[in-house]
Structure formats: structure tokens, C-alpha cells
Amino acid sequence: MSGSVVAVHRSAEHQFGKTTVDAITLVAGLGVEGDAHQGARVRHRSRVRADPAQPNLRQVHLMHAELFEELARKGFTVGPGQLGENITTRGIDLLSLPTGSTLRIGNVLIALTGLRNPCAQIDSFQPGLLKEVALKKDGRLVRKAGVMGVVITSGEVRRGDAIEVSLPPGPPLPLERV
């Protein structure tokens, strides 16, 4: 399975969206250099309030561009970086990958840890959007706002880079909220 990088983003501030840049540097064990969520310990505000000593399983946020097209068909206008992802991808069904899958982007290696849990801030961005990225289906919550990962190997990621997916050994464990 392979895909490509559509765009890359970072923000030094804790804000909803991230700024699109030419390249981002990923640092093993820490995340995106210069991003507010970079660190070995959890950096997301809600997680810090719960337990600041937790390991940061949300060092890198990846989102599939195909979601933006799906949302556009429902009347929403969303583009790369606007929902806070660091890497926007194309051609990979990120949400269906099992926990522990790895994404190789050039020299960079990212291990997937779980699903992003979308929050109410999404409705502040565009009213009604939260119900489209966190919806009930057959009695269970389906999270569609991307996946989270940790950086295993450092390096630079740019728009247009190829992404190669490797599945973990053993029975697949579905991604859960992190």
C-alpha cells in the first residue's frame, strides 16, 4: 500500500489549524520540530490536564485528503491543515490501518498509535462538522478526523513525498482513540 504527501503543516501555538509550510522536520521520540505538540510527554491540553506524565502518543497527526472531498459533497469547505493535522495524505485509507502500522516517508518512519478524537472545537470552525467526523454508525462512534503516530526515525517530510505502508506482524488490532 502506498500514497503521497499532499501538504505538511505545523504551528508553534496551541490553535485549531496549522500553517502549511514547504517542509517539516520530524524528530524521533518527539514529533514535529517547532510544533506545539512536540514532546516525549503528552502536549495536548486535555491530556495534560488529565495526566501530564503520559507518553505522547500524538506526536504526529495525519489526515487523508479524501476526507475533505467527502465533506465538500456535504457542503463543508475544509482544506489541508485546517483541522490541525501535520501531514495531509492521499491514496492511503489511514483509518483502516491497524495499530502499529508504520508509514515510511523518505527517511522518516512513523508508527501509528491510534485515532484522533475530534472535539467540539470542530463545530466552532464550521457548525455541524463534528457530526461528520465523529458519527454514530450501527451504535458505535466512528472517528474520521485522522490518525496519530509517534516518530521512530527522524527526517524531513515535504509535499509530494511518497508514503509506503507496512503492516505490523500478527493479528491486526484496530486503531482506537488516543
Coordinates of all heavy atoms in Angstrom, one line a residue, residues 104-109 156-157 161-164:
R104 N 6.5 5.0 6.0 CA 7.8 5.4 5.7 C 7.7 6.5 4.6 O 7.1 6.4 3.6 CB 8.7 4.3 5.1 CG 10.1 4.8 4.7 CD 11.1 3.8 4.5 NE 11.4 3.0 5.7 CZ 12.1 3.3 6.7 NH1 12.7 4.5 6.8 NH2 12.3 2.5 7.7
I105 N 8.2 7.7 5.0 CA 8.2 8.9 4.1 C 9.6 9.3 4.0 O 10.2 9.9 4.9 CB 7.3 10.0 4.7 CG1 5.9 9.5 5.1 CG2 7.2 11.1 3.7 CD1 5.1 10.5 5.9
G106 N 10.3 8.9 2.9 CA 11.7 9.2 2.8 C 12.4 8.4 3.8 O 12.2 7.2 4.0
N107 N 13.2 9.1 4.6 CA 14.0 8.5 5.8 C 13.1 8.4 7.0 O 13.5 7.8 8.0 CB 15.2 9.3 6.1 CG 16.2 9.2 5.0 OD1 16.3 8.2 4.2 ND2 17.0 10.2 4.8
V108 N 12.0 9.1 7.1 CA 11.2 9.2 8.3 C 10.3 7.9 8.4 O 9.8 7.4 7.4 CB 10.2 10.4 8.2 CG1 9.2 10.4 9.3 CG2 11.0 11.7 8.2
L109 N 10.2 7.4 9.7 CA 9.4 6.3 10.0 C 8.4 6.7 11.1 O 8.9 7.2 12.2 CB 10.2 5.1 10.4 CG 9.4 3.8 10.5 CD1 8.8 3.3 9.2 CD2 10.3 2.7 11.1
E156 N 13.1 14.7 7.2 CA 12.3 15.8 6.7 C 11.1 15.2 5.8 O 11.3 14.2 5.1 CB 13.1 16.7 5.8 CG 12.4 18.0 5.4 CD 13.4 18.9 4.7 OE1 13.6 18.7 3.5 OE2 13.9 19.8 5.3
V157 N 10.0 15.9 5.9 CA 8.8 15.5 5.0 C 8.4 16.7 4.3 O 8.2 17.8 4.8 CB 7.7 14.9 5.9 CG1 6.4 14.6 5.1 CG2 8.1 13.7 6.7
D161 N 6.2 13.9 -1.3 CA 6.9 12.7 -0.9 C 6.0 11.4 -1.0 O 4.8 11.5 -0.7 CB 7.4 12.8 0.5 CG 8.6 13.7 0.7 OD1 9.2 14.1 -0.4 OD2 9.0 14.0 1.8
A162 N 6.6 10.3 -1.4 CA 5.9 9.0 -1.4 C 5.8 8.5 0.0 O 6.6 8.7 0.9 CB 6.6 8.0 -2.3
I163 N 4.7 7.8 0.3 CA 4.5 7.1 1.6 C 4.3 5.6 1.3 O 3.5 5.2 0.5 CB 3.2 7.6 2.3 CG1 3.2 9.2 2.4 CG2 3.0 6.9 3.6 CD1 1.9 9.7 2.9
E164 N 5.1 4.8 2.0 CA 5.0 3.4 2.0 C 4.4 2.9 3.3 O 5.0 3.3 4.4 CB 6.3 2.7 1.7 CG 6.9 3.1 0.4 CD 8.3 2.5 0.2 OE1 8.6 1.5 0.8 OE2 9.1 3.1 -0.5

